[in-house]
Every structure is written in C-alpha cells, then in structure tokens.
Amino acid sequence: MSQFNRREFIKAFAAASSATALSFPSIARAGAKARVIVIGGGFGGATAAKYIKMGDAGIDVTLIEPNKTYTSCPLSNEVISGYRDIKTLEIGYDGLRKRGINVLHDMVTGVDRAKKTVTTQGGKTLSYDAMVMSPGVEFHYTGIDGYSEALVNEFPHAWKAGEQTLILKRQLEAMPDGGKFVIVVPKGPFRCPPGPYERASQVASYLKHHGKNKSKVIILDANDSHSKKGLFNQAWTKLYGWEKEGLGTNGMIEWVKGAEGGKITKLDAKTKTVSSDFVDVKADVLNIIPPHKAGKIAAVSDLAKADGWCKVVPMTMASAEDPNIYTIGDACIAGEMAIYGNPNSNFDMPKSAHIAMTQAKVAAAAIVAQVNGLPPPTPYYANTCYSIVDEGYGFSVAHQYRVENGTFKYIKEGSGTSMMTMPDKSPVPMLYRKLEAEYADGWVRNVLADAFG
C-alpha cells in the first residue's frame, strides 16, 4: 500500500468512527517528522516499531534494545528437553532496519517525561513526541530466605530465554535417574502463565525418553490453581502416571499448591533444599522462578505503581500516568485486575508474546492516528498460547477482548481452550494433539516473522 493510500485509509477509518476528528490535535511538529522512541525490542516493542513505520513511513521511529539477538521465550522449554535447537528461536533486527527503523543497541537509563527525552548508558540523549514502553519484566529475588540474585546460575530460572535456558538443559542432562527436578513457581501474575507446567511436562518427557523413569518432577506452586489445569492434568495422566495433587503421589509429575505447602519461603543452598510451612524438598536440579514486576525503566520513569505494574488506558494502551507514553506487553496490567483491583480474576490479559503483539498493534494505530490529528481506531485484543507437553502432543488457549465503556471486556464467545473430550464425550483423537503441536511450531515462526520481519 502506498504512503498516500495508507494515510487516506487512516483518515477515512477515523472519520467513520468519530464525527469529532478535528478535536484530536496532531503531535507532529510543524515542518518536522514526528519522533517515536520504542524502549525494548521483544515481541511487543519490535511489533510496535514495525507497525508504526508501516502505518506512516514519515514517522521517525527509534527502537532501543541492548541485545543484538532476541531469543523467543515461547517454545523455549523444548530447548531444555532437547526437542528444539535454541537457534530456531533466535532472530536479529535487520528486518526492522530494512523498514527504515533506527535500531540502537543500548540501555535506557532514564526518561525525562517533562522534557520528553531519554538517556542511555552509552551517553545518548534522544527526544520523542510519543514513546512505546515495552521493557518486559524484572525479577525480584526476595521472599525466599537464603535466595538471592547471586545464585541465579546455580538455580537458574530460565524465564528469559538464552544462556539460562542452556544452563538448565545441562543440569537436567546431568541429573541421575531417581533424581528430583524441582520447579518453584511464584505468586502470579507472571510472564507466560502456563509456562511452569509446560516446563514440568517437557522435563518429564526428557526423563521418560532417556531412561530416567525413577525420577520426579516436583512443582511447588505459590498459587492454588493454574492455567490450562484440566488439559495438563489430562496429559500428565496419559503420559506420566499422574493420579492426584500433592507431594509423594504416584506418577512422574507432582504438583503442590500454595495452600498445601507449595509456597516456598526458605532455601538451603548448600543442600538444595527448599521449604514451606508444610514441606521440605531436597532437589537435584532446582529451578526457582522469581516473582515478577515491570521492567526497571518503567519504575524509574514512575510508570509502574505500588503493585509493580503499569496501568493503561484500554482504548489505546497509553499509560494511565502519561498520555504520551504507551505501556505494552509483560510490564502492564490489562483486564479486571487493572480496572477493579481483583487479583483473582480469570479475565486479565495474560503476559504472553501474542497479547504483547496485539497491544503493540493497538498502540501503533493510536500513535499513527495521533500523529495525523485523528481519533484512535476501535481496538480489539486477541491472544493465542500453545503448550507442548511431549513430542507430538500439544494444546492451546485463545482469548479475545474488546473495550466497553472505557474498560476491558473479556469476550467469552470464541475464547477458550482445546477440547478435553469430543462433543460425544469420547476421547480426543491423538491426531488433534499432534496437529496442535505442529500448529505451535508454525505459530512461533509466524510471530517472529511478524514482529521482526
């Protein structure tokens, strides 16, 4: 689509959606390009930069990201089990550069919201008219007595894919038959809600297929339930001898919920023993996933509030603290928790790659509209998340959201998980699970191409 046609499309769309278009002032400076800075080059930030430039090639877009290669967290658990090479999840930023985006490999150390400038570790000061803040998450190494960031390579979290993923893979490979692989799950919200349970499945798959059938995978969970629980339990029963919840049960995988001892409060690093008020568990491999908060720069910029997360305006993903900054991805809270303060809501947007990309596209459309002095288009949010529990066995969840009366609204119609049974209550054919595993591979290749290509 030509630049002229794209601009005309935006104008026509906005005019159709609002009769008061002229009341929306442009942020573009007279005689100069509008400047947009994107902080963070993950799925959300890369997508935002790309779609802003696609929406209006006249906008000067700068993406600031310290790493030259991005590694996808989705499907990285397959690297731990050996089913996937980590290089299949790596991608660079040349695709964005070819689109005319300025990619700066540096670390943002400060944001002056009054002056609309950012400063970097490399000594640069850059000005912006609008900003997309997509810093991901920061880990808080607190809450477990005896645990600290200094132990992160001894007890890797592998919740940012890359070297930590490979460390955990090597530890699993060295674990003896009869050993215990212990996963400590923090209280939500955290990045990739089904991730810990997919990881347990992938570890169990490795053990089963490498003659380590006497081993255990123990999930000590600060939460009392988890994402896709029914589907995971069904898969664990079929594949790994799952029978019921609790420590010391039969089967290769054991899940202990928070109310029954899953909330870990103490670590003895010398013996690799973690403890709660109810249980003590000695591990051979200990995978501690720390609690999450919004990335550090969000807090430094005073965009993340007391609960550690960024609040947003549902129509545009603009920060609730600053209308010129759009906070997207894992750093933000979007849903009933954000609006009503309900921490137990099932209808919050999950912290996932797919939802980050959807939020990025909403923010990009709003910024392009704002640059052109037009109202933002009506947003629509969607999420897809696949979990692979064994070679050729996958399932998924889909979520849809819209905005009603200025708040996020979960759309039940069209949302849901993979079937647990067929409509006649017969078992789901394994072909379905195999196909979903194949779809997952296609999905990750497509989203990497969409965000970075």
Side-chain angles (χ1 to χ4, degrees):
M1 184 182 289
S2 70
Q3 180 63 19
F4 173 79
N5 287 339
R6 186 178 292 114
R7 282 179 176 268
E8 291 303 309
F9 173 79
I10 294 168
K11 291 178 181 178
F13 184 91
S17 62
S18 174
T20 58
L22 295 178
S23 68
F24 287 76
S26 170
I27 62 172
R29 292 160 296 130
K33 289 184 177 181
R35 302 160 299 184
V36 177
I37 289 177
V38 180
I39 298 177
F43 279 109
T47 301
K50 174 181 174 179
Y51 277 81
I52 292 167
K53 198 68 175 177
M54 287 176 63
D56 188 339
I59 298 175
D60 188 332
V61 182
T62 298
L63 172 68
I64 307 177
E65 162 59 41
N67 299 305
K68 293 184 178 180
T69 300
Y70 179 74
T71 305
S72 167
C73 280
L75 301 194
S76 63
N77 284 325
E78 287 191 301
V79 175
I80 297 169
S81 63
Y83 290 130
R84 178 178 291 274
D85 190 313
I86 198 167
K87 293 188 180 300
T88 65
L89 301 176
E90 295 176 344
I91 196 164
Y93 294 88
D94 286 347
L96 298 183
R97 288 190 178 94
K98 290 177 181 177
R99 291 184 176 276
I101 296 164
N102 310 309
V103 180
L104 175 62
H105 292 299
D106 205 341
M107 176 75 74
V108 176
T109 54
V111 175
D112 188 324
R113 287 165 44 189
K115 294 181 179 178
K116 291 189 178 181
T117 60
V118 302
T119 53
T120 72
Q121 195 173 66
K124 293 184 179 296
T125 299
L126 305 174
S127 298
Y128 67 87
D129 297 300
M131 178 194 293
V132 177
M133 176 77 73
S134 186
V137 297
E138 176 187 7
F139 299 112
H140 281 226
Y141 301 92
T142 58
I144 299 178
D145 184 29
Y147 177 62
S148 70
E149 188 174 1
L151 298 171
V152 72
N153 287 332
E154 186 176 354
F155 309 122
H157 53 73
W159 224 244
K160 286 187 179 180
E163 182 55 32
Q164 281 260 309
T165 311
L166 299 176
I167 292 172
L168 194 58
K169 172 182 170 63
R170 291 192 290 269
Q171 290 184 355
L172 171 62
E173 291 171 343
M175 193 178 86
D177 188 19
K180 293 179 180 177
F181 189 107
V182 177
I183 303 173
V184 176
V185 183
K187 191 73 174 174
F190 52 81
R191 165 184 283 170
C192 189
Y197 320 101
E198 180 191 57
R199 177 168 293 173
S201 307
Q202 285 290 323
V203 170
S205 180
Y206 172 87
L207 297 171
K208 185 176 77 171
H209 295 296
H210 288 78
K212 299 183 180 183
N213 295 297
K214 296 178 183 178
S215 300
K216 288 280 190 179
V217 184
I218 300 172
I219 309 167
L220 300 173
D221 198 336
N223 307 281
D224 289 335
S225 189
H226 61 79
S227 174
K228 305 179 190 172
K229 185 178 179 183
L231 287 163
F232 277 112
N233 287 354
Q234 184 183 66
W236 294 346
T237 300
K238 180 178 180 66
L239 301 170
Y240 307 120
W242 167 268
E243 290 184 351
K244 60 180 181 179
E245 299 172 3
L247 194 64
T249 56
N250 292 330
M252 186 174 282
I253 296 176
E254 300 177 1
W255 178 70
V256 184
K257 63 185 178 182
E260 296 181 358
K263 183 175 172 54
I264 295 303
T265 57
K266 184 178 180 181
L267 165 68
D268 184 330
K270 289 184 179 179
T271 63
K272 296 184 182 179
T273 300
V274 287
S275 304
S276 70
D277 292 340
F278 299 92
V279 301
D280 302 295
V281 180
K282 187 178 185 302
D284 292 274
V285 176
L286 183 53
N287 174 210
I288 298 178
I289 305 168
H292 296 17
K293 298 293 181 183
K296 183 178 180 180
I297 190 61
V300 169
S301 308
D302 200 29
L303 298 172
K305 305 315 289 179
D307 64 357
W309 303 105
C310 301
K311 305 299 189 295
V312 296
V313 176
M315 275 295 294
T316 61
M317 294 301 299
S319 167
E321 306 300 321
D322 189 326
N324 296 306
I325 298 179
Y326 297 75
T327 49
I328 65 171
D330 295 341
C332 76
I333 286 288
E336 289 191 359
M337 184 173 177
I339 303 301
Y340 305 113
N342 177 10
N344 300 311
S345 172
N346 293 320
F347 304 126
D348 290 323
M349 291 186 190
K351 298 184 182 301
S352 74
H354 200 120
I355 204 69
M357 292 177 69
T358 302
Q359 292 170 350
K361 292 172 183 178
V362 169
I367 288 170
V368 170
Q370 189 179 11
V371 165
N372 289 278
L374 302 169
T378 301
Y380 179 82
Y381 299 92
N383 176 61
T384 298
C385 175
Y386 289 93
S387 297
I388 311 299
V389 294
D390 195 7
E391 189 172 21
Y393 193 124
F395 44 76
S396 63
V397 64
H399 301 286
Q400 299 179 80
Y401 308 83
R402 59 175 174 258
V403 178
E404 291 184 1
N405 300 318
T407 64
F408 292 107
K409 177 69 174 179
Y410 182 74
I411 306 172
K412 293 183 179 180
E413 298 79 10
S415 299
T417 64
S418 300
M419 295 185 295
M420 289 190 63
T421 64
M422 299 300 286
D424 64 359
K425 304 303 180 184
S426 62
V428 173
M430 278 304 297
L431 175 62
Y432 283 37
R433 305 302 191 210
K434 184 176 185 296
L435 286 172
E436 289 227 58
E438 293 178 4
Y439 297 157
D441 181 68
W443 171 86
V444 78
R445 287 186 281 109
N446 286 335
V447 293
L448 284 169
D450 187 15
F452 296 88

